[in-house]
Amino acid sequence: MTIDPFQALTDDELQTLENLLLFEIGTDESMTLDILDGYLHAIAIGPTTLHPAQWLPKVWGVDSAMPPMASLDQLNHVVGLIMRHLNNIVSGLQLRIPEIMPIWVTETYQKKTYQQGESWAYGFIEGMQLCWGDWKPMLDTDEGKAWFRPFGLLSEHDFSPDQDELTKTPARRAKLTKQLPTSVLAMHAYWLPYRLAVAQRQIARKMQPKVGRNDPCPCGSGKKFKRCCGHAADLH
């Protein structure tokens, strides 16, 4: 049976993915499910479209897109689950009113349960660091600094002088965790026009007819393409 690559993972599949990450990958540095979820959200909304070969190594905690696993079938299974989860995140962002459904852990303290997004925020920042320079124009704005603030407070050391005070109880960390989805959707809206423009340029390039070696050069020089831009020594 063919599985829709955009079909959301079931609860059982999410549990399977978590178990594969924790117990079936032959490294001690593979991501947990909540870290992976934050990581994939950054990849989905960021300014740069990344090939899986660029971001999969961090998932496994190795320098290769191919982690040590018992079999190729097992590897294909875990990669397939990860790609479906990423596709589902993208689908949620493409709705008329974009939405995200973060996966993070809960913590019980004094008989109360709190959502805790420290690991999720850490994973998101790991995703940003794949192309940190591309994110910097947003981070240099006042809005970008405000959107990033709950991420930094939850998952970075020495982020700000008031960090210890703002994160010292589960309730305060949960309050920051609730700010993460709003920040992610704001970042998505910030980068969306740029991502669309890049995609349109790529489509336009693919639609351009190929120039023959003996055709007039499209730069307007009047020379044949092979004597102008098509000449290796005169590319411009």
Side-chain angles (χ1 to χ4, degrees):
M1 182 179 67
T2 303
I3 299 177
D4 181 354
F6 289 88
Q7 180 180 332
L9 299 187
T10 65
D11 289 343
D12 286 345
E13 287 175 320
L14 286 171
Q15 186 62 59
T16 296
L17 176 56
E18 184 170 37
N19 290 339
L20 286 168
L21 291 170
L22 289 175
F23 306 119
E24 301 300 333
I25 296 172
T27 73
D28 295 327
E29 305 297 330
S30 59
M31 291 184 172
T32 58
L33 184 59
D34 52 345
I35 292 176
L36 173 66
D37 190 57
Y39 185 65
L40 294 179
H41 275 79
I43 291 168
I45 72 165
T48 304
T49 300
L50 300 169
H51 189 277
Q54 294 174 273
W55 55 262
L56 277 173
K58 271 194 174 185
V59 175
W60 321 128
V62 297
D63 293 330
S64 170
M66 304 284 286
M69 296 193 75
S71 69
L72 182 59
D73 286 343
Q74 197 176 54
L75 173 62
N76 287 334
H77 184 46
V78 68
V79 171
L81 292 174
I82 291 171
M83 295 307 300
R84 272 179 57 201
H85 191 52
L86 174 60
N87 289 341
N88 188 59
I89 292 170
V90 172
S91 295
L93 293 167
Q94 291 176 338
L95 295 174
R96 185 176 63 85
I97 301 177
E99 65 179 22
I100 63 171
M101 299 180 65
I103 297 172
W104 41 51
V105 300
T106 58
E107 177 182 356
T108 301
Y109 178 71
Q110 294 183 347
K111 298 183 179 181
K112 291 185 177 180
T113 300
Y114 301 94
Q115 292 183 325
Q116 300 296 347
E118 292 101 318
S119 295
W120 196 92
Y122 169 79
F124 190 93
I125 293 175
E126 286 288 289
M128 294 177 68
Q129 288 177 344
L130 293 168
C131 52
W132 188 264
D134 296 340
W135 283 84
K136 201 168 184 309
M138 183 203 77
L139 295 172
D140 287 341
T141 68
D142 291 339
E143 295 88 351
K145 291 173 183 175
W147 299 333
F148 184 76
R149 180 171 169 79
F151 291 89
L153 288 170
L154 285 169
S155 65
E156 291 197 337
H157 297 295
D158 300 323
F159 179 75
S160 72
D162 57 353
Q163 185 172 10
D164 288 343
E165 181 65 24
L166 293 174
T167 61
K168 71 179 183 179
T169 67
R172 293 184 183 184
R173 293 193 296 275
K175 183 178 180 180
L176 290 169
T177 295
K178 289 180 180 179
Q179 298 175 25
L180 297 177
T182 301
S183 289
V184 170
L185 291 173
M187 293 178 188
H188 170 255
Y190 180 92
W191 289 119
L192 185 59
Y194 176 79
R195 290 177 70 97
L196 290 175
V198 170
Q200 288 169 354
R201 284 200 299 269
Q202 291 172 341
I203 292 171
R205 288 195 192 101
K206 291 179 181 178
M207 293 178 64
Q208 287 178 350
K210 292 184 178 180
V211 181
R213 286 177 51 77
N214 291 313
D215 292 340
C217 187
C219 77
S221 66
K223 299 179 182 179
K224 290 183 178 181
F225 178 65
K226 67 181 180 181
R227 300 295 183 187
C228 191
C229 293
H231 192 277
D234 296 319
L235 289 176
H236 59 272

